[in-house]
């Protein structure tokens, strides 16, 4: 039986724990953009195991670490507790149905997540991002293209086979 992509990440994190730990250069650029635009509250949408949530919290932002994977959030929460970071909130939800009020966030970081699923999944996700973002808020989305040096480097099956 094929496991849906929504369930794959929880399986990966249960089997392997943290699979990515380096902060992407895009996040450092996003942090500068968030600071220039006076963002205080930032949602890390699809935070995985929290590498970027931890980084943003260390930069002084109020971070909302969110993911579909309960296991990924547990790993993120454990790392935050070890670092005594109390400016991170955690919430499990589907990016196609974000469980926050309208116009809540100053900034949203969404890296390597909106490309999961179908075109309709992406449309729902973008509409949800727009709904929870404050007017004049800032969104940083990173879509991996075929021109990206990471394109084709990993496939979901590669993560499932590791371990």
């Amino acid at each position: 039986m094929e496991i849906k992509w929504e369930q794959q990440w929880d399986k990966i994190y249960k089997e392997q724990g943290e699979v990515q730990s380096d902060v992407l250069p895009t996040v450092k650029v996003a942090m500068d953009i968030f600071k220039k635009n006076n963002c205080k509250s930032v949602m890390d949408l699809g935070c995985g195991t929290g590498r970027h949530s931890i980084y943003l919290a260390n930069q002084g932002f109020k971070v909302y670490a969110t993911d579909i994977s309960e296991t990924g959030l547990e790993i993120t929460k454990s790392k935050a507790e070890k670092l005594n970071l109390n400016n991170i909130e955690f919430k499990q939800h589907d990016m196609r149905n974000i469980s926050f009020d309208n116009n809540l966030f100053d900034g949203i970081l969404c890296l390597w997540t909106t490309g999961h699923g179908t075109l309709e999944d992406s449309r729902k996700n973008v509409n949800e991002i727009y709904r929870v973002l404050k007017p004049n808020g800032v969104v940083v989305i990173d879509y991996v293209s075929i021109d990206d040096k990471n394109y084709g480097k990993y496939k979901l099956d590669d993560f499932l086979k590791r371990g």
Side-chain angles (χ1 to χ4, degrees):
M1 182 175 102
E2 183 178 329
I3 298 174
K4 292 177 158 186
W5 69 265
E6 297 95 329
Q7 299 163 328
Q8 294 283 19
W9 290 106
D10 207 56
K11 182 176 190 245
I12 290 166
Y13 300 140
K14 280 181 181 174
E15 291 175 359
Q16 299 170 46
E18 186 173 23
V19 295
Q20 299 164 328
S21 58
D22 294 336
V23 173
L24 293 173
T26 305
V27 177
K28 295 174 183 177
V29 171
M31 186 250 330
D32 288 338
I33 293 169
F34 292 148
K35 283 187 176 183
K36 283 180 188 172
N37 286 279
N38 203 29
C39 295
K40 304 289 184 218
S41 62
V42 176
M43 178 171 56
D44 184 2
L45 180 59
C47 70
T49 56
R51 60 187 169 154
H52 301 136
S53 295
I54 299 292
Y55 176 79
L56 291 170
N58 277 324
Q59 299 300 314
F61 295 98
K62 169 67 178 173
V63 177
Y64 294 80
T66 70
D67 203 278
I68 199 166
S69 169
E70 184 178 343
T71 304
L73 286 170
E74 288 170 2
I75 292 168
T76 303
K77 190 172 188 176
S78 175
K79 290 192 309 190
E81 287 171 353
K82 287 177 186 168
L83 295 168
N84 293 315
L85 292 172
N86 57 8
N87 55 335
I88 303 179
E89 288 190 28
F90 307 89
K91 190 158 204 163
Q92 181 184 9
H93 64 80
D94 188 314
M95 67 184 175
R96 297 164 295 191
N97 186 17
I98 298 173
S99 53
F100 285 102
D101 291 336
N102 295 349
N103 306 317
L104 183 64
F105 301 104
D106 299 318
I108 297 176
L109 179 70
C110 188
L111 302 185
W112 295 7
T113 56
T114 53
H116 294 307
T118 64
L119 180 58
E120 184 57 28
D121 291 332
S122 292
R123 284 187 179 121
K124 288 177 183 176
N125 176 228
V126 169
N127 285 331
E128 282 294 278
I129 288 171
Y130 182 74
R131 181 185 64 76
V132 299
L133 188 67
K134 287 180 181 177
N136 300 313
V138 177
V139 178
V140 176
I141 297 178
D142 188 356
Y143 289 95
V144 178
S145 79
I146 59 172
D147 297 326
D148 189 285
K149 67 179 180 174
N150 290 302
Y151 178 79
K153 188 185 269 187
Y154 304 105
K155 294 185 179 8
L156 193 53
D157 289 345
D158 294 337
F159 286 113
L160 294 173
K161 292 174 187 168
R162 291 185 354 186

